[in-house]
Amino acid sequence: METTDASISNDSIMTRVLIIGGDGLLGRALRSRLVADGIEVIATSRRADAEFRVDLAGEPDRWPGFPAVDAAVLCAAVTSLAACRADPVGTARVNVRATAEVARRLVAVGALPLLLSSTQVFDGSEPRCRTQDRPRPVTEYGRQKAAAEAEVLGLGGAVVRLSKVLEGSAALLRDWAVRLRRGEPIVPFSDMTLAPISPPFAVGLIRSVVTKRVHGILHGSGDSDVSYAVMAGRLAAAVGADPRLVRPESARETRPDLESVPVWSSLAMGQAESQLGWEPQSSAAVIDAACAEAAASSSPSHG
């Protein structure tokens, strides 16, 4: 039966976890955290030379058999909005069909499937969307994630929706930092927001969901929505650049090609707070830390 409200199972202690897509940002970080906690981790990759290769773009009959594990975190997906929009059939094959088949096979070996999802399942018209709010995606990627969520929840699994996971090595921040140091202007959007969380915060929440065997939907989010223009201003300050180099513009007015310009991106964390004691992370603190890291890594003396 499909379950959307989060609930905790009293099943046995977690000893073995499978990560589908273990070579991505969160997959790598989660693996390190779980191993440090003494949990055995098996991670898949789509690389041809991978020890445990699972290519979600390939045919399921070519996948290896899944081992008996307590839980599995489904990190692998095509996350580019542009790619999903350009090839909805091909990307849905990965994000929906293959993801659902993986979840079914995991349940068959007794594992709790946990799907990582996104704020893109909402349209961005309201702040702090709740877990019980009906998905209303306006992007192809969001529609695919909403469909994958329904499949996993229908199997009794878990879904963790995350707002923007931000770190100083993000390509956008690195590019902006380099340009600012050169005295070149940057053009952030004034009407597009993020409610960022750090990788350790995201990993910690996922770990809690896995180890406590929480079913249903939970959210991980920053506590407030911040425009990309504001973030760019903080980066300029961290770099020590002239703030006039930050020249905001409206995404709605200048980028009609964008599939969505969300006014809000924050998520309410009521279920995570009540079930696991997790509160929203400070968006300002995450942005400041990421900007400081990007500024340091772009310094001529770095390395």
Side-chain angles (χ1 to χ4, degrees):
M1 183 192 311
E2 179 176 336
T3 302
T4 56
D5 292 332
S7 59
I8 296 179
S9 169
N10 291 319
D11 290 351
S12 59
I13 297 174
M14 193 69 49
T15 60
R16 200 179 195 204
V17 173
L18 176 67
I19 300 176
I20 304 293
D23 45 11
L25 169 65
L26 288 182
R28 293 194 309 270
L30 179 61
R31 181 177 189 174
S32 296
R33 176 64 186 274
L34 293 176
V35 169
D37 290 341
I39 296 174
E40 181 183 355
V41 177
I42 303 169
T44 76
S45 172
R46 63 186 179 89
R47 298 194 318 269
D49 60 346
E51 183 176 351
F52 191 0
R53 184 171 188 264
V54 176
D55 183 2
L56 298 188
E59 290 302 318
D61 59 7
R62 295 187 177 182
W63 298 345
F66 289 118
V69 292
D70 300 298
V73 183
L74 283 65
C75 299
V78 180
T79 60
S80 166
L81 269 65
C84 291
R85 182 181 182 182
D87 182 15
V89 174
T91 54
R93 186 180 301 118
V94 173
N95 290 345
V96 183
R97 192 189 75 177
T99 295
E101 179 60 25
V102 167
R104 283 191 287 270
R105 296 189 185 191
L106 290 167
V107 169
V109 296
L112 168 71
L114 186 160
L115 174 70
L116 297 190
S117 192
S118 162
T119 57
Q120 288 291 322
V121 300
F122 299 113
D123 61 10
S125 64
E126 297 178 7
R128 299 181 180 86
C129 289
R130 304 169 302 168
T131 56
Q132 59 266 44
D133 290 339
R134 181 178 60 83
R136 44 185 187 276
V138 293
T139 65
E140 176 60 27
Y141 174 65
R143 288 187 285 272
Q144 292 178 11
K145 274 298 183 184
E149 286 185 3
E151 294 282 357
V152 172
L153 292 171
L155 293 166
V159 169
V160 175
R161 295 176 182 144
L162 300 174
S163 62
K164 177 68 174 179
V165 180
L166 184 70
E167 61 176 357
S169 62
L172 178 64
L173 288 181
R174 290 201 316 268
D175 178 65
W176 279 355
V178 170
R179 289 175 179 272
L180 289 168
R181 285 199 182 279
R182 293 174 179 168
E184 300 173 0
I186 60 174
V187 186
F189 293 137
S190 59
D191 52 0
M192 184 180 289
T193 66
L194 69 165
I197 56 177
S198 66
F201 181 90
V203 165
L205 176 60
I206 296 166
R207 174 197 173 280
S208 293
V209 174
V210 167
T211 57
K212 294 185 181 296
R213 297 188 67 87
V214 180
H215 303 255
I217 303 172
L218 290 99
H219 287 169
S221 174
D223 62 359
S224 60
D225 294 90
V226 180
S227 74
Y228 277 81
V230 168
M231 181 170 69
R234 291 183 178 178
L235 178 62
V239 170
D242 186 337
R244 291 173 295 182
L245 291 172
V246 179
R247 301 174 186 176
E249 67 178 17
S250 167
R252 288 176 179 78
E253 294 176 1
T254 62
R255 292 292 304 276
D257 57 306
L258 292 177
E259 199 173 3
S260 171
V261 181
V263 179
W264 308 100
S265 59
S266 56
L267 299 169
M269 287 185 61
Q271 291 290 349
E273 289 184 58
S274 62
Q275 295 285 346
L276 300 171
W278 281 81
E279 298 180 353
Q281 191 173 23
S282 167
S283 296
V286 173
I287 288 174
D288 286 344
C291 287
E293 182 183 346
S297 64
S298 67
S299 171
S301 61
H302 179 70

